[in-house]
Amino acid sequence: MSIVRLLCDPFTHRAAGPLPGAAPQHRTARGGRARTRRAQAAAVLVALALTPLWALAQGGMLGNIGRAGEVMSRGESAVSTGQQVMSTGGQVMDAGRQAWNNRNGTPFQAPTGPAVMARDEGGPLRLIAALERGAGDPMAASSTLVALLDQGAYFIQRQAAHVTPPQDQLLATPRADSSAVSIDLPSSPPGTLFDLGSGRARASGPGVKIFALSVHANLPRRAGRRALDPIEQHAMLTTSSVQMEWPLQPELAMEPVGGKLLVWASEAGAPFPSGFGPDGRLFTADDPMVRLPRGYTVVTLDSRGFSFDRSREIALSQYSVQSTTDIDLSRLAPADAFKAFTSVMQERYPFRSAQPMDWGRLQGELADRVRQAGDQKDRQATGRIYADIGARLQDGLFRVELRGAGGSQGLTAGLDTGLSGQSQPRGITPLPLPGVWWLPDGRALVGSVAPRSAADLAGLRPGAEIVEVNGESMSRYIGRASRYSNRPTEAGRRYDALKLMAYERDAMVLKVRQDGKDLTVDLRQRLAEQPAPASAAPNNESLSAFQLRGPSGRQYGYIVLSSFADGGGNLDVWERSLAAANQARLRGLVLDLRGANHGAYQLVPHYAASFFSYDRPLKLQGYAQRQVDATAKVWRTRGSLGLPPQLPLFTQGTGYYSAPLVLLTGPECTGPCEMFSAWLQKAGRAHVVATEPTPGAVGMTTRILLPGDVVVHAPTVAELGANGEHYVFGKGVEPDLRVPVDAALVQRAMTGGDPVLDAAVQWLDGRPQAR
């Protein structure tokens, strides 16, 4: 008997409006009522209760949650305040100032004359940014802001962790029916004044302020937003009016190599570079200088020399900061597209050291298959060839889709027989249930069966033991079927094989032992009998929160998270849930990530910052992001997710949670879930509980468009750890507490229990309590 029981109905926090009413108590697909009666009869053994955190608001306990959310949503939180100190006065990154003063021993170059203007209409009054996403894209527009940010400290002093404080930001919201955004310039701009003769900030006198016009996309929705916070300024920077080159080391700032800057001179005759100088870098002592008139000037950066423009209205083109834009090979012949694809992968694949591949040999081996599939216009066959490459790479990020009139459709290697795993709801958030469990003694037990699936129609029920598949023992079948999986870990490939998909031209005949009898069924024959799956309505909310009571009687929080995407207000919901846990003085938090398999990294840094304080922040010193520079033929590296390693991540107020934290992970915890878990585990902030490691697939992908509407999502940006090793890829996140899978665990799971959650609560109960 599990110690877990849902004594209260799950709920969903919502960004606005009243909380919904009671939902039906969770039951498994079969025998739910009987198990409920059994649980009630054995209530004396129950030691764990789940109560919605919103219930703690009764009696005025959570009256300040709204104000706590406002603090986080204004952009004037302690994170921004702490970074404001770093970004003003030149208090950090002294090396940047020294580089300006003493670059190669070259003295400061005095201005040689006035800047020559392409047009001089007195200086710009308005800037226009052209957006990559235009009309008819309301979702993109609602999560995008165009920002004119003071960037003098970043470019002049090379403060990689520079954050523009709220008062120095000018923001504009794009309209869904427009592909451009304009910003009207104030007569006297905010920002820090710099003396380019010394590279130092100054309060007044002659000098310049330097701005870049940037686009920040995929932003979380915040009520009453007034500014971009530090995470959003760095991690969600998608394009900029300045063309920037990633550095070779993650702690360095990106170097401007082109594009346009907006410069404001406080007095006529202010010096400013007219070119990059012999060292090829901007704002170093060998730059040739000119004098600017007072007011605004747009400077175009060019290796042949800069140009200057003082038109009243100027459009600033945008340059991508991260090169994950689509690679379009769709207009090529299939054979030529495949050859180009292998060339791109040979040049840009970032995990070549972990998963080496002879791309030239692969191109020769598969060229005839690609040509034949193309001649027959068989895009399914074409897609399977590319999917096979992902399986050879054993790269969980590599994914193939087929586009059509109804949208993109993932290409699966086989047909779902109903044993690929189901889900149980915790509030509105689903948790995965394995379709088949693999025991250490080699037995395979059915854990869940999809209603009206081929397995269900064949009469299979949870608890049945699968003895053979297609005449092979389970161990032999798994060894053969795992080749269809692209997961990099052995546990991950076995997990995919246990889904028992029906592959093309393969039978799916199972010999099972059920209720003491041997039964033989052909699931592939049953596939034609099952009805078409109903399309589920999209669910943008991904978080459910409860209150737990452990065997000791101590109270804990329990949050189930299925995605790190915002979905229209999840960050506010998250902060309110943590505020509720703090108000209730809960002594620990269990964060259930077992179903967090969505590919969005959007809220990973925000969520992680919630568990770190101003005096003990999270610094990503051991993490980096790497991609190839195709022009220079070198690998360039910046901070993980674009966050500088020097940037402290923390939260203050009721949104900061300081009590012990347990993470529940599993084979569906991929990508962002793994990154989040690894950050917290390696920082010593969380205890990971699971039955096995996570799949080991963290990184960014680029869409490669191929003939026949075949799309390959291929990794081009790697997430690295200290010394350049892959801290998750191919390894996964190892649990601190591994829950052994045995027959007793499977039995408890099939009867509505949750042994992994039980283990987490028991671990929390066993910790000494602070006095």
Side-chain angles (χ1 to χ4, degrees), residues 159-183:
Q159 294 183 23
H162 165 69
V163 173
T164 304
Q167 66 270 18
D168 292 345
Q169 302 179 32
L170 295 177
L171 304 180
T173 303
R175 287 173 18 193
D177 60 351
S178 176
S179 59
V181 175
S182 64
I183 290 183

Side-chain angles (χ1 to χ4, degrees), residues 25 131 172 186 309 359 389 391 435 491 525 530 543 641 675 703:
Q25 188 180 39
L131 304 181
D309 193 340
W359 292 100
I389 294 175
Q525 290 181 354
Q530 65 183 22
L543 186 153
L641 293 184
M675 175 179 284
R703 292 200 322 164

Side-chain angles (χ1 to χ4, degrees), residues 249-339:
Q249 301 297 328
E251 65 274 5
L252 302 178
M254 293 186 286
E255 288 288 337
V257 296
K260 297 180 188 294
L261 287 170
L262 176 68
V263 180
W264 182 81
S266 61
E267 298 179 6
F272 196 84
S274 61
F276 285 111
D279 67 358
R281 303 172 69 197
L282 184 59
F283 300 122
T284 54
D286 62 359
D287 294 346
M289 306 294 286
V290 293
R291 296 194 297 269
L292 295 180
R294 186 182 186 279
Y296 291 109
T297 302
V298 171
V299 182
T300 300
L301 310 179
D302 192 291
S303 60
R304 297 165 295 184
F306 299 171
S307 59
F308 303 86
D309 193 340
R310 284 171 58 82
S311 300
R312 305 300 267 178
E313 186 173 278
I314 301 178
L316 274 60
S317 300
Q318 293 289 302
Y319 297 88
S320 177
V321 175
Q322 181 167 289
S323 58
T324 55
T325 53
D326 294 351
I327 299 174
D328 193 349
L329 308 177
S330 61
R331 293 180 175 85
L332 300 177
D336 293 336
F338 181 64
K339 185 175 182 180

Side-chain angles (χ1 to χ4, degrees), residues 76-105:
E76 298 171 352
S77 64
V79 178
S80 293
T81 305
Q83 286 310 300
Q84 188 175 337
V85 174
M86 295 180 64
S87 64
T88 58
Q91 296 181 18
V92 297
M93 296 291 287
D94 289 336
R97 184 162 58 236
Q98 293 170 4
W100 174 261
N101 291 328
N102 302 309
R103 177 70 182 179
N104 296 325

Side-chain angles (χ1 to χ4, degrees), residues 418-540:
L419 295 174
S420 63
Q422 305 308 308
S423 63
Q424 63 180 17
R426 291 281 169 86
I428 55 95
T429 309
L431 279 182
L433 291 171
V436 180
W437 291 91
W438 181 255
L439 274 59
D441 60 9
R443 289 186 297 155
L445 301 181
V446 175
S448 61
V449 178
R452 304 186 69 187
S453 65
D456 187 29
L457 295 174
L460 289 183
R461 295 193 299 275
E465 179 184 349
I466 302 175
V467 181
E468 292 181 356
V469 180
N470 298 337
E472 296 179 325
S473 66
M474 276 300 294
S475 59
R476 184 171 180 179
Y477 171 81
I478 288 175
R480 182 173 62 84
S482 63
R483 74 177 187 270
Y484 293 101
S485 172
N486 64 343
R487 299 202 183 205
T489 64
E490 181 181 352
R493 291 190 295 275
R494 184 180 65 233
Y495 177 80
D496 281 351
L498 284 170
K499 292 179 179 179
L500 299 185
M501 311 291 279
Y503 299 104
E504 185 182 18
R505 294 184 300 274
D506 282 353
M508 181 53 69
V509 179
L510 303 186
K511 181 179 179 181
V512 301
R513 188 165 295 120
Q514 182 171 284
D515 298 331
K517 299 179 182 178
D518 289 341
L519 180 67
T520 300
V521 294
D522 188 341
L523 297 185
R524 193 167 180 84
Q525 290 181 354
R526 295 285 187 173
L527 285 171
E529 303 173 21
Q530 65 183 22
S535 58
N539 186 0
N540 289 329

